[in-house]
Amino acid sequence: MGAMKLSNTHTQRYLLRIADAALILSQRNSEWCGHGPILEEDLAQANMALDLLGQARALLTHAGAADGLDEDQLAMLRLEHQFLNPVLFELPHAVDGRRPGDFAFTVVRNFLTAAWFNLLWTKLLDSCDTELAAIAEKSLKEARYHLQHSADWCVRLGDGTADSQVRMQAALERAWPYLGELFEGDEVDAAAEAEKLGPSWASLQAEWRALVEPVLAQATLKLPKDRPNAHRGRHGAHSEHLGHLLSDLQYLQRAYPGGTW
Amino acid sequence: MGAMKLSNTHTQRYLLRIADAALILSQRNSEWCGHGPILEEDLAQANMALDLLGQARALLTHAGAADGLDEDQLAMLRLEHQFLNPVLFELPHAVDGRRPGDFAFTVVRNFLTAAWFNLLWTKLLDSCDTELAAIAEKSLKEARYHLQHSADWCVRLGDGTADSQVRMQAALERAWPYLGELFEGDEVDAAAEAEKLGPSWASLQAEWRALVEPVLAQATLKLPKDRPNAHRGRHGAHSEHLGHLLSDLQYLQRAYPGGTW
Amino acid sequence: QAKEAAFQARIDAGDYIEPKDWMPSSYRKTLVRQISQHAHSEIVGMLPEGNWISRAPTLKRKAILLAKVQDEGGHGLYLYAAAETLGTSRDQMLDALHTGKAKYSSIFNYPTVTWADVGVIGWLVDGAAIMNQVPLCRCSYGPYARAMIRVCREESFHQRQGYESLLVMMQNGTEAQKAMVQDAVNRWWWPSLMMFGPPDSDSLHSEQSMRWGIKRNSNDELRQKFVDATVDQAKVLGISLPDPELKWNEERGHWDFGPINWDEFWRVVGGDGPCNRERLATRVRAWDEGEWVREAALAHARKQHTAKEAA
Amino acid sequence: QAKEAAFQARIDAGDYIEPKDWMPSSYRKTLVRQISQHAHSEIVGMLPEGNWISRAPTLKRKAILLAKVQDEGGHGLYLYAAAETLGTSRDQMLDALHTGKAKYSSIFNYPTVTWADVGVIGWLVDGAAIMNQVPLCRCSYGPYARAMIRVCREESFHQRQGYESLLVMMQNGTEAQKAMVQDAVNRWWWPSLMMFGPPDSDSLHSEQSMRWGIKRNSNDELRQKFVDATVDQAKVLGISLPDPELKWNEERGHWDFGPINWDEFWRVVGGDGPCNRERLATRVRAWDEGEWVREAALAHARKQHTAKEAA
């Protein structure tokens, strides 16, 4: 036994990057369940986590088919470097690990990534891969709600009290240096674009800014300075946080191998 | 594969309770390494964690010999209900999980458990099991230092500022309801006492109080009310914290089975 | 007195009492206590199961669990809303929870130690809850009865899901999985029986509640009904229940069972269960850490309102 | 000027400068900067490796790692003490770290992603550090030179331990372990080469430091020495180094290697490495959260002192 063998084609990597982004963000957001600042947000965060989990499952199933691997094998038995989500998705809600967490960061990340998912799913409607296009269609509806919900909260908390404004600005500053990875083109992207599998991620940036900036302005938040991208989660090189997340996520399958659940 | 088969004799359980207490406390205290309130305490906590780890290794090796299991199989491949430490040892430093943690709780727990270990090791010097007696001899020297160090800090922080006193009292209140498990006799204890393997844990209580109370008084801390014991870690029924600790502790052996390290 | 008699007559006739109807203040108080306690139980009950969301063994099980815990939050929401129709705000009720004045179901003061606990909670704890709650669907207070209809429907679904997950492990699982299920049943069986409350001989409030149509069966009646139903389910699972005195009593037409450790029950109710302090602290922490969020939302709403007025 | 000339003459003669000796203020300043930066590197360097203490694969490896990270803290202690002999307090130095005025070694702004990173840090990062540090054992400032002797001895031990742990995995491990080691080497190789600092052509401070006996070899010299030593060790390990241009140059008697990505180096030095913000925030948090502890210790010491005076 050891590392799971993946064919690692451009197509598979393109799919896994998106699948893992959804899976890991779902795992993070579900941490709020039972711990939210108001009961309605416990439910909303859990609801969005469920949507993301559903998206991840569909994509993992699709990505694993070529190698005869199912969603659980991919989620539970891959090693850390085989996860291809951008680092932004794996960051803990609070930098000091405290529970429940920093809700400002949750809102900011949900907003920034929901905008990104919206654009991505929209482009993927035209994928030459009809199954991917079908996943995109279902996911886009969900992502629209995520965007609306998180944008509302961005404005509410950004343009709330002086204290909440400071927290939101700090959360935005924390998230911003990780955004580069969401808009960096590479050979996987280029292949996807060439084959009409899906858009190059780099191509999403301008529209993303157009989507995000008015909301941040309404939230009275200042755009942080763009930073050069230092993160390589899409290439399997993660932050120190993913390993701890995976040791929890994968615990049962590893401790009870060969089980039927 | 599945749960590890243990002979689960009274002797083995008696040994594992102590081994796991040392192992799990070592794991907790090593969390301070790199995060302490002053550099000297990073070193001291790491040093004590190393001592506890050494004690755990000796005891695990001894406890596993009958079943042909080595220290790593016992530490890394047992399932949660096979760990027999009292719950006190597994509690996180800070209730909200924040890092670095609540140093007051660290100090209080180290003090209360070091006093207990001191008495236990002292009695174990007379064990009919010569290997256990030898482990006790080495461990007692270390435990004396742990007791001295943590007692000093108890007094320093208890009788420090108004704020530190409040924190220390709260930490003491948090730890206290878990102490019952350290002084409860049962069939495992009774057998150990009858066979002169080691003391019944219940027999340690009076001396423990005599050791602990003067220090707490000097630290200006009030003794909390004794609570009925609700915890059964010694029987393998743990708090919700141990599982998360183990998913980290055991991660590598489970993710890379059959490895040589 | 005339009002009281008319009120009692309506109840006796099986009418629903609605928020705007006159009611005795002790009826109101009893209901607020009971409904809010029930709501608190849903909210605190999210914690033990929530502990396993991050570690569910498959993505399907994760989705089921996440949805279930979310449903519990939803039950909390309707129950708080039902209680609010009696004139007590959600914030007041939460304050009572956070300051230890209000109770929640004691069962949630036990920890979830393994994945099987999740299934067993579904089977036994939700099962016992349903036994307790089904009669409340005919409770005399309309909003509570209607909330309970919805709650019971969802709880039955959860109970079946929990049972099904155990069945899969017991029928197709490894030995380690089966042992995990048995261990969980051993830990949860007795606390589940305690969920029906103290024996009828020691039960407070019961008579008045019966008269008011808030309670329809005695604790011991419901407990027996639960035991009878569960023994058969345990057989199908292939699990043993940790009670050597459990045996069929032909004469009574019921299963006899061993004595319940009421000392433990009262100890846990009194605050000394394995998780009481942590559960409450966790809720208080979530509330306190969320204060800035609630304040900001309020401030923002005020700004919006002012802007609208000005326009 | 006469003092400066005498000072330089002592250095040229190989004498050690001691704390009470006269020294130019720029010598003092340079040393404080360099020694404190070195101390900070030890402290920040505890974080990436500390990340794996909880997950070490065996208890023996856990003990070795814990002891190693503790040693790094110890190095921090002697180095702060050495710097303090120059009249700057540890708190002042820490303040400079926490406010971003002081630097630490940029290598620690990379994350430790797998267990193999721990071994590779021992092998490559400690290896590079030793190359840099051995000449400092002959540094002109006595306390620094003496601290470095101790540091280097321990670092060599760590380096051998790291290498040994990789050797075990490469020789007796599974394919998954070998792949993990190779992956770690791929990630750490280039950053290790950057540890010697910018190419001599771009290096500031160097000449004066050479004259003062604080620096004894150029960056490029040390880097070449490191590459030459490491290539052979990689062969023994059975690992490949991620540089297609690496090849023996008979003429130079050295290994040629490919171009270093100095953009990345300056980016990370400038604050935009993968972990810069987190590393600093972690240190600041530990310091801030520990404030009450330090204050209480101080308050207690004052009480003790007062009590003694009174007696």
Side-chain angles (χ1 to χ4, degrees), chain D residues 47-191:
Chain D
L47 302 177
E49 289 176 282
N51 180 41
W52 283 91
I53 293 173
S54 68
R55 289 177 291 176
T58 67
L59 299 184
K60 179 185 138 195
R61 292 288 170 201
K62 190 189 290 283
I64 290 173
L65 178 58
L66 187 50
K68 180 189 171 182
V69 181
Q70 190 197 25
D71 280 348
E72 286 163 5
H75 298 172
L77 270 187
Y78 351 126
L79 288 163
Y80 284 126
E84 283 185 307
T85 62
L86 291 158
T88 305
S89 73
R90 201 208 293 185
D91 280 9
Q92 286 173 305
M93 293 185 264
L94 287 175
D95 187 65
L97 173 67
H98 298 158
T99 54
K101 279 175 220 141
K103 297 238 173 266
Y104 55 86
S105 175
S106 233
I107 192 80
F108 300 120
N109 291 316
Y110 290 87
T112 51
V113 183
T114 69
W115 169 253
D117 290 36
V118 170
V120 170
I121 286 178
W123 174 39
L124 296 180
V125 175
D126 292 348
I130 293 165
M131 285 291 173
N132 271 328
Q133 290 167 6
V134 164
L136 294 172
C137 299
R138 296 178 293 121
C139 159
S140 63
Y141 187 59
Y144 190 26
R146 289 188 290 273
M148 288 318 298
I149 289 170
R150 188 161 162 193
V151 168
C152 281
R153 196 169 44 219
E154 294 182 4
E155 293 282 12
S156 303
F157 183 61
H158 297 159
Q159 202 252 0
R160 279 197 302 275
Q161 283 179 325
Y163 187 74
E164 185 266 343
S165 84
L166 298 178
L167 203 58
V168 168
M169 289 194 270
M170 292 305 294
Q171 292 190 336
N172 308 317
T174 60
E175 287 310 308
Q177 286 182 289
K178 290 178 196 173
M180 177 169 69
V181 175
Q182 181 66 59
D183 167 63
V185 170
N186 293 348
R187 282 181 289 103
W188 289 95
W189 171 250
W190 290 106

Side-chain angles (χ1 to χ4, degrees), chain A:
Chain A
M1 207 165 127
M4 174 174 291
K5 285 273 183 290
L6 293 170
S7 53
N8 253 322
T9 57
H10 285 327
T11 300
Q12 190 180 54
R13 282 155 73 197
Y14 188 83
L15 293 172
L16 284 178
R17 287 174 178 186
I18 309 171
D20 290 339
L23 177 68
I24 300 300
L25 186 58
S26 168
Q27 179 81 355
R28 281 292 180 213
N29 282 347
S30 67
E31 292 172 9
W32 281 105
C33 194
H35 305 270
I38 46 171
L39 189 46
E40 284 79 356
E41 272 308 291
D42 278 52
L43 305 190
Q45 294 300 328
N47 196 32
M48 293 190 286
L50 269 169
D51 288 343
L52 289 164
L53 181 56
Q55 296 164 13
R57 293 175 65 188
L59 286 168
L60 287 173
T61 301
H62 189 41
D67 295 332
L69 296 167
D70 67 25
E71 59 180 43
D72 289 319
Q73 290 171 301
L74 286 175
M76 301 296 175
L77 299 175
R78 264 184 300 161
L79 294 173
E80 182 173 346
H81 69 270
Q82 299 178 308
F83 280 80
L84 302 182
N85 58 285
V87 169
L88 177 62
F89 295 87
E90 74 207 31
L91 298 176
H93 299 287
V95 284
D96 63 2
R98 97 182 162 270
R99 294 296 189 95
D102 178 4
F103 192 69
F105 184 74
T106 304
V107 164
V108 163
R109 173 168 57 188
N110 282 349
F111 171 62
L112 300 175
T113 58
W116 179 81
F117 270 125
N118 262 270
L119 295 169
L120 186 60
W121 295 129
T122 303
K123 308 281 177 191
L124 286 171
L125 293 175
D126 301 326
S127 175
C128 66
D129 174 341
T130 53
E131 191 167 337
L132 180 56
I135 295 170
E137 193 181 347
K138 179 170 182 299
S139 304
L140 179 58
K141 284 186 202 118
E142 297 165 345
R144 279 197 188 118
Y145 164 73
H146 301 180
L147 179 59
Q148 188 59 54
H149 184 84
S150 56
D152 287 351
W153 273 102
C154 258
V155 173
R156 204 172 279 134
L157 298 180
D159 186 22
T161 62
D163 173 47
S164 73
Q165 211 262 359
V166 168
R167 289 174 189 256
M168 288 293 285
Q169 186 68 45
L172 191 63
E173 303 282 348
R174 183 175 160 224
W176 209 259
Y178 294 91
L179 286 167
E181 222 187 340
L182 274 57
F183 302 111
E184 212 174 44
D186 70 353
E187 74 289 356
V188 170
D189 273 326
E193 198 168 37
E195 296 161 17
K196 303 207 185 308
L197 176 67
S200 148
W201 289 14
S203 72
L204 304 172
Q205 187 157 24
E207 279 180 84
W208 179 83
R209 289 197 86 112
L211 203 52
V212 156
E213 288 183 4
V215 175
L216 295 179
Q218 206 192 333
T220 74
L221 297 173
K222 276 202 302 281
L223 283 189
K225 236 173 53 186
D226 286 325
R227 314 298 320 181
N229 178 40
H231 305 288
R232 297 180 50 80
R234 295 192 309 167
H235 302 274
H238 290 276
S239 73
E240 289 170 4
H241 304 292
L242 185 64
H244 296 282
L245 182 149
L246 291 181
S247 72
D248 232 36
L249 174 71
Q250 301 186 330
Y251 163 74
L252 266 185
Q253 286 280 0
R254 297 204 185 270
Y256 290 83
T260 308
W261 308 95

Side-chain angles (χ1 to χ4, degrees), chain B residues 27 33-34 37-38 40 43 47 57 72 76 98-99 159-160 164 167 248-249 252-253 259-261, chain D residues 54-62 69-70 77 90 115 172 177 283 285 289 292 294 296 300 303:
Chain B
Q27 179 81 357
C33 193
I38 46 171
E40 284 79 356
L43 304 190
N47 196 31
R57 293 175 66 187
D72 288 319
M76 301 295 175
R98 104 185 155 268
R99 293 296 189 93
D159 186 23
S164 73
R167 289 174 189 257
D248 232 35
L249 174 71
L252 265 185
Q253 285 280 0
T260 307
W261 308 95
Chain D
S54 68
R55 289 177 291 176
T58 67
L59 299 184
K60 179 185 138 195
R61 292 288 170 201
K62 190 189 290 283
V69 181
Q70 190 197 25
L77 270 187
R90 201 208 293 185
W115 169 253
N172 308 317
Q177 286 182 289
R283 287 307 316 159
R285 201 160 65 230
E289 289 251 333
W292 72 271
R294 296 188 302 274
H300 182 76
K303 286 185 199 179

Side-chain angles (χ1 to χ4, degrees), chain D residues 7-311:
Chain D
F7 173 82
Q8 187 64 49
R10 281 187 65 194
I11 287 179
D12 295 343
D15 270 15
Y16 283 117
I17 308 298
E18 295 298 333
K20 286 177 181 164
D21 295 344
W22 183 89
M23 61 190 86
S25 70
S26 53
Y27 175 87
R28 186 184 297 274
K29 216 173 124 189
T30 300
L31 272 172
V32 169
R33 199 191 61 232
Q34 180 170 333
I35 303 175
S36 68
Q37 178 170 330
H38 189 166
H40 299 329
S41 299
E42 298 284 354
I43 302 309
V44 176
M46 295 171 82
L47 302 177
E49 289 176 282
N51 180 41
W52 283 91
I53 293 173
S54 68
R55 289 177 291 176
T58 67
L59 299 184
K60 179 185 138 195
R61 292 288 170 201
K62 190 189 290 283
I64 290 173
L65 178 58
L66 187 50
K68 180 189 171 182
V69 181
Q70 190 197 25
D71 280 348
E72 286 163 5
H75 298 172
L77 270 187
Y78 351 126
L79 288 163
Y80 284 126
E84 283 185 307
T85 62
L86 291 158
T88 305
S89 73
R90 201 208 293 185
D91 280 9
Q92 286 173 305
M93 293 185 264
L94 287 175
D95 187 65
L97 173 67
H98 298 158
T99 54
K101 279 175 220 141
K103 297 238 173 266
Y104 55 86
S105 175
S106 233
I107 192 80
F108 300 120
N109 291 316
Y110 290 87
T112 51
V113 183
T114 69
W115 169 253
D117 290 36
V118 170
V120 170
I121 286 178
W123 174 39
L124 296 180
V125 175
D126 292 348
I130 293 165
M131 285 291 173
N132 271 328
Q133 290 167 6
V134 164
L136 294 172
C137 299
R138 296 178 293 121
C139 159
S140 63
Y141 187 59
Y144 190 26
R146 289 188 290 273
M148 288 318 298
I149 289 170
R150 188 161 162 193
V151 168
C152 281
R153 196 169 44 219
E154 294 182 4
E155 293 282 12
S156 303
F157 183 61
H158 297 159
Q159 202 252 0
R160 279 197 302 275
Q161 283 179 325
Y163 187 74
E164 185 266 343
S165 84
L166 298 178
L167 203 58
V168 168
M169 289 194 270
M170 292 305 294
Q171 292 190 336
N172 308 317
T174 60
E175 287 310 308
Q177 286 182 289
K178 290 178 196 173
M180 177 169 69
V181 175
Q182 181 66 59
D183 167 63
V185 170
N186 293 348
R187 282 181 289 103
W188 289 95
W189 171 250
W190 290 106
S192 300
L193 294 195
M194 295 177 196
M195 285 177 69
F196 298 92
D200 294 348
S201 50
D202 297 350
S203 188
L204 305 165
H205 312 300
S206 280
E207 262 179 68
Q208 181 58 272
S209 288
M210 293 265 197
R211 223 168 11 245
W212 276 337
I214 300 177
K215 198 175 164 97
R216 305 222 176 247
N217 307 78
S218 84
N219 294 352
D220 286 335
E221 251 173 75
L222 290 169
R223 186 164 16 241
Q224 182 67 58
K225 205 171 157 195
F226 174 73
V227 171
D228 291 347
T230 306
V231 167
D232 288 336
Q233 295 167 356
K235 271 190 203 141
V236 176
L237 274 181
I239 210 88
S240 71
L241 296 171
D243 178 358
E245 298 181 36
L246 196 67
K247 70 165 183 285
W248 179 250
N249 183 324
E250 194 62 52
E251 201 175 329
R252 295 204 302 126
H254 288 298
W255 285 84
D256 287 341
F257 51 95
I260 290 174
N261 182 347
W262 291 112
D263 285 350
E264 176 180 330
F265 173 78
W266 290 114
R267 178 161 58 68
V268 179
V269 169
D272 285 314
C275 304
N276 299 54
R277 290 171 192 82
E278 290 205 349
R279 294 287 186 241
L280 192 57
T282 300
R283 287 307 316 159
V284 169
R285 201 160 65 230
W287 185 251
D288 290 349
E289 289 251 333
E291 190 177 6
W292 72 271
V293 176
R294 296 188 302 274
E295 276 182 2
L298 217 61
H300 182 76
R302 262 187 245 113
K303 286 185 199 179
Q304 293 293 96
H305 184 72
T306 312
K308 232 175 248 167
E309 299 264 295

Side-chain angles (χ1 to χ4, degrees), chain B residues 62-133:
Chain B
H62 190 40
D67 295 334
L69 295 167
D70 68 25
E71 58 179 46
D72 288 319
Q73 290 170 303
L74 287 174
M76 301 295 175
L77 299 175
R78 265 185 299 162
L79 294 172
E80 181 172 346
H81 69 273
Q82 299 177 308
F83 280 80
L84 301 182
N85 58 286
V87 169
L88 177 61
F89 295 88
E90 74 207 32
L91 298 175
H93 298 287
V95 285
D96 63 2
R98 104 185 155 268
R99 293 296 189 93
D102 177 4
F103 192 69
F105 185 75
T106 305
V107 164
V108 162
R109 174 168 57 189
N110 282 349
F111 170 62
L112 300 175
T113 58
W116 179 82
F117 271 125
N118 262 271
L119 295 169
L120 185 60
W121 295 130
T122 302
K123 308 279 177 193
L124 287 172
L125 293 175
D126 300 327
S127 173
C128 66
D129 175 340
T130 52
E131 191 166 337
L132 180 56

